[in-house]
Amino acid sequence: MSLLRALIILPVLLYTLASLPEKPQHQDPLPTQHQGNPALPAQPGNRDAPEKHGTTRTYFIAADELDWDYTPRGRNPAGLPRFESSESDVATTIGHRVYHKAIYREYTDSTFTHLKPRSPQWEHLGILGPLIRAEVGDSIRVVFRNNTHLSVSMHPHGLEYKKDAEGASYNDGTMGTVKADDKVASGATFTYLWTVPERSGPAAMDESSVLWMYHSHFIEGKDINTGLVGPIIVTARGKARPDGSPADVDREFITDFSIFDETESWFFERNASRDPGGIRLKVADPFVREKNLLYSINGFIEGNLPLLTMKRGEKIRWYLLSNSNEDDVHMAHWHGNTVVWNKMRMDSVFLGPMAMVSADMVPDDIGTWLFHCHVNDHFNGGMLGLYQVLP
């Protein structure tokens, strides 16, 4: 072959070789059971990997009427010095502060025959409805019975719900059976279905769980002042115990800094007739309203909140909330120890109306300590309790 011919053929040969398909590299074949087998752990990019489906948590909750004692252990068991005047009910014959109210209570099943006992751990919830728990990814089913003579509902904050389970009455463009959730008539039962997506759980600045609340939303202000409010705690996906509580926390406490305006209760006229003077007083009288403002934590005043007990070195999560009145502007303050809130070290946390916040404490100072609102009128009115740190 001449040199000239070789120089012409060589480029053609190289181009042809470069155009040939590349020989595939050796790969071990996937075993048949890998394809769509839910027993295998999820792998990145594996479309056949199963999604984690949460638990459906069912609660049987009723709205019940009862007489509520804001001072079950008497007046001022905390032993605080009090300024007494002729206008102070502390200096009069008034003892217990008892009002007829409606509150949420939990039952064992759909017959609503037996109340579900409240454990000693949650005795401090007081007037608050039963704690509803969930982990991100769960669903919540509430079978609700209205045992009062009022029209009431259950409306959750933070959770996901459709229009047929919102629990609020307004012109939202729906009709028929989709409106059945808006108000539940006296003696009726309704089942609410709520879900817990990622946006209901902790965000970047939160710890492993967050607080929400539920309340009646028919005539919202009157419903809440009558007593229809309760807590919801949502734990991050994969960080919950089987009961839904955060696995990285030793104890939890829920405290509602709540001014109950009894002149705005559905039962005010009934309660006013119990006045020791036997006189029907007008709501327009500012003295009457002030006399019937109850500055409470969980429906207890003047230190009647059950003692909140913990041990030194435990991780304590405090969930703080407040009611909806214009006066519900609070500063929750702990004596003796500090908390971390919003990544900051604090010993006081601000609460506005309908606030829901969480703060973590690792107590190191042993003793019995005051826990109160630092707004002067609220503190003087009895918005306080005690907590105890044991060795």
Side-chain angles (χ1 to χ4, degrees), residues 118 122-131 231 254 298-300 305-306:
R118 181 171 273 179
W122 295 110
E123 180 186 4
H124 71 277
L125 288 181
I127 203 170
L128 295 179
L131 170 59
I254 301 173
N298 294 356
F300 299 108
L305 180 72

Side-chain angles (χ1 to χ4, degrees), residues 9-166:
I9 296 175
L10 182 59
V12 177
L13 179 61
L14 293 175
Y15 178 82
T16 303
L17 292 174
S19 301
L20 292 174
E22 183 179 353
K23 182 180 179 181
Q25 296 181 358
H26 174 72
Q27 292 183 343
D28 293 329
L30 292 176
T32 303
Q33 68 269 23
H34 192 155
Q35 300 178 9
N37 184 351
L40 291 173
Q43 300 294 329
N46 179 10
R47 295 184 180 180
D48 293 323
E51 295 182 2
K52 178 184 176 182
H53 297 286
T55 300
T56 298
R57 301 180 186 270
T58 300
Y59 296 85
F60 302 97
I61 297 176
D64 292 336
E65 292 187 30
L66 49 73
D67 285 345
W68 180 258
D69 189 348
Y70 286 91
T71 54
R73 294 190 292 129
R75 305 303 299 272
N76 194 23
L80 288 172
R82 298 293 300 271
F83 173 75
E84 298 180 3
S85 68
S86 60
E87 296 183 352
S88 172
D89 62 15
V90 177
T92 70
T93 57
I94 296 177
H96 292 274
R97 302 295 301 272
V98 179
Y99 290 79
H100 193 71
K101 302 190 74 66
I103 68 173
Y104 294 115
R105 297 198 294 179
E106 187 172 9
Y107 285 77
T108 57
D109 55 43
S110 60
T111 66
F112 292 92
T113 303
H114 301 289
L115 281 170
K116 186 174 182 179
R118 181 171 273 179
S119 69
Q121 174 189 0
W122 295 110
E123 180 186 4
H124 71 277
L125 288 181
I127 203 170
L128 295 179
L131 170 59
I132 294 177
R133 284 197 187 273
E135 180 182 359
V136 169
D138 287 348
S139 297
I140 297 170
R141 177 175 176 264
V142 177
V143 182
F144 174 62
R145 168 75 60 84
N146 181 8
N147 288 333
T148 76
H149 73 273
L150 310 170
S151 291
V152 296
S153 70
M154 288 185 69
H155 167 69
H157 284 236
L159 304 183
E160 181 181 50
Y161 43 81
K162 304 305 179 186
K163 294 302 297 183
D164 62 355
E166 184 179 4

